[in-house]
Amino acid sequence: MKRARIIGLGHYVPPKVVTNEDLAKVMDTSDAWIRERTGIQKRHFVEDGMGTADLAFEATKKALQDSKKEAKEIDFIILATLSPDYFFPGSGVLLQEKLGIDSIGALDIRTQCTGFIYGLSIADTMIRAGQYERVLLVGSEVHSTALDLSTRGRDVAVLFGDGAGAALLEATEGDQGVLSTHLHAEGRYAKELWVEAPGSLNPVPILNLEECRHFPKMNGREVFKHAVTRFIKVIQEALEANHVTKEEMDLLVVHQANLRIAEAVREYLRLPPEKMYNNIQRYGNTTAASIPMALSEAKAEGKLKEGDLVCLAAFGSGFTWGSALIRW
Ligand code: UT7
């Protein structure tokens, strides 16, 4: 049976490092508060003129190198982001242009923190159907240019960072690859974590910038509670669908929203620390980019070996959440 297999990974963060102490200079926060509540020590921010497609391009070059493939061998592009370069068109076509590959399809996904899992599901389905041989899947985010970097926005602003992660997927007939994906959404929670404007209901001409509706807003405690329970459920869903136990899982990579959330999930599942990979300490929450960035680093550190059973899970704005089980 055909399925998609990740044959190359790459990640990229812009050079500028922003520490917790740097944030404490522009808002009422502290290194101690941020570390204790989130585990984050630093994040990367772009300099002026660098956009989401630029980060995606850098990560893609590394994924192509890792897979020993060339851009022209890609049949389709999927780019997940909540921070596109423009309102439209999406950043997928911009990435296509940078890669110099004409006229292949390019799809943007807007399911926020769950974007990589949704993209993986779509790519796998396309490959299983025989539509494409090779699909490029990228999560890329520039948060820094749209955060309220003042005390008013500190609950959200200290969490996020910029970065991109890319995966090249290829059709395989063997035992390796994506075993299953599980996607969920519940729109009644849309306003628990959102950017309200600008949008079709609140277009720029009527927008009062002093109301700050253009900055991300989050009901942190509510999102935290839902995140922990839904992460656990959707991981269990993936394991049950494949008739495997959590003990058989070699590595769990959850969307890097908060180290406390990841640890709560790991402790509930009674997994030893070495079975979970986290890098939020260095990058903050990079939403759609966080899972491919973590996979790329885990691979580079030798923590992903052929035959490993790897579970991915994400939860975030929408609410959207999902999981994937992969035989590496
Ligand atoms: O990726 C998408 C999914 N996102 C998430 O999963 C995030 C989920 N939520 C969280 O991670 C946590 O709720 C936060 C890290 C955002 C906040 O942690 P918390 O332990 O829930 O803190 P809190 O919101 O209950 O705030 C505690 C206190 C408040 O002060 P009072 O009311 O107790 O006086 C806040 O005003 O901390 C204050 N506070 C801050 N203090 C210093 C909020 N943000 C900050 C800050 N620095 N940056």
Side-chain angles (χ1 to χ4, degrees), residues 224-234 236 261 265 321:
F224 194 106
K225 278 191 290 183
H226 282 275
V228 174
T229 52
R230 283 158 206 256
F231 266 128
I232 292 167
K233 270 202 173 153
V234 84
Q236 288 170 335
I261 294 176
V265 171
W321 66 104

Side-chain angles (χ1 to χ4, degrees), residues 29 33 37 113 154-155 220-221 223 255 257-258 260-261 285:
T29 189
W33 192 96
R37 305 278 175 140
C113 308
R154 66 181 181 174
D155 59 327
R221 285 186 194 183
V223 175
H255 160 56
N258 183 325
R260 277 162 61 214
I261 294 176
N285 179 346

Side-chain angles (χ1 to χ4, degrees), residues 1 13 32 67 72 77 92 111 124 130 135 146 153 165 171 185 209 214 227 233 239 249 261 263 268 271 279 314:
M1 193 180 69
V13 286
S67 58
K72 62 174 192 267
I77 295 170
T111 48
D124 183 46
V135 177
L209 287 184
H214 57 294
K233 270 202 173 153
L239 296 174
M249 184 164 61
I261 294 176
E263 280 297 297
Y268 181 90
L271 296 174
N279 61 6

Side-chain angles (χ1 to χ4, degrees), residues 86-126:
Y86 309 119
F87 199 80
F88 73 84
S91 296
V93 298
L94 307 180
L95 174 61
Q96 180 207 43
E97 205 264 332
K98 287 177 192 298
L99 286 166
I101 27 177
D102 281 343
S103 89
I104 63 163
L107 170 72
D108 272 43
I109 299 188
R110 299 200 45 181
T111 48
Q112 302 67 249
C113 308
T114 320
F116 188 79
I117 304 282
Y118 269 73
L120 190 63
S121 187
I122 293 167
D124 183 46
T125 304
M126 286 172 151

Side-chain angles (χ1 to χ4, degrees), residues 82 110-113 184-197 201 213 215-220 222-223 226 230 315-321:
L82 64 71
R110 299 200 45 181
T111 48
Q112 302 67 249
C113 308
H184 297 279
E186 213 169 351
R188 70 187 159 122
Y189 296 108
K191 297 179 182 177
E192 300 293 341
L193 173 49
W194 70 330
V195 175
E196 185 183 0
L201 285 176
R213 290 188 293 156
F215 287 131
K217 300 278 180 331
M218 176 171 69
N219 182 351
E222 192 65 12
V223 175
H226 282 275
R230 283 158 206 256
F315 171 85
S317 159
F319 291 150
T320 58
W321 66 104

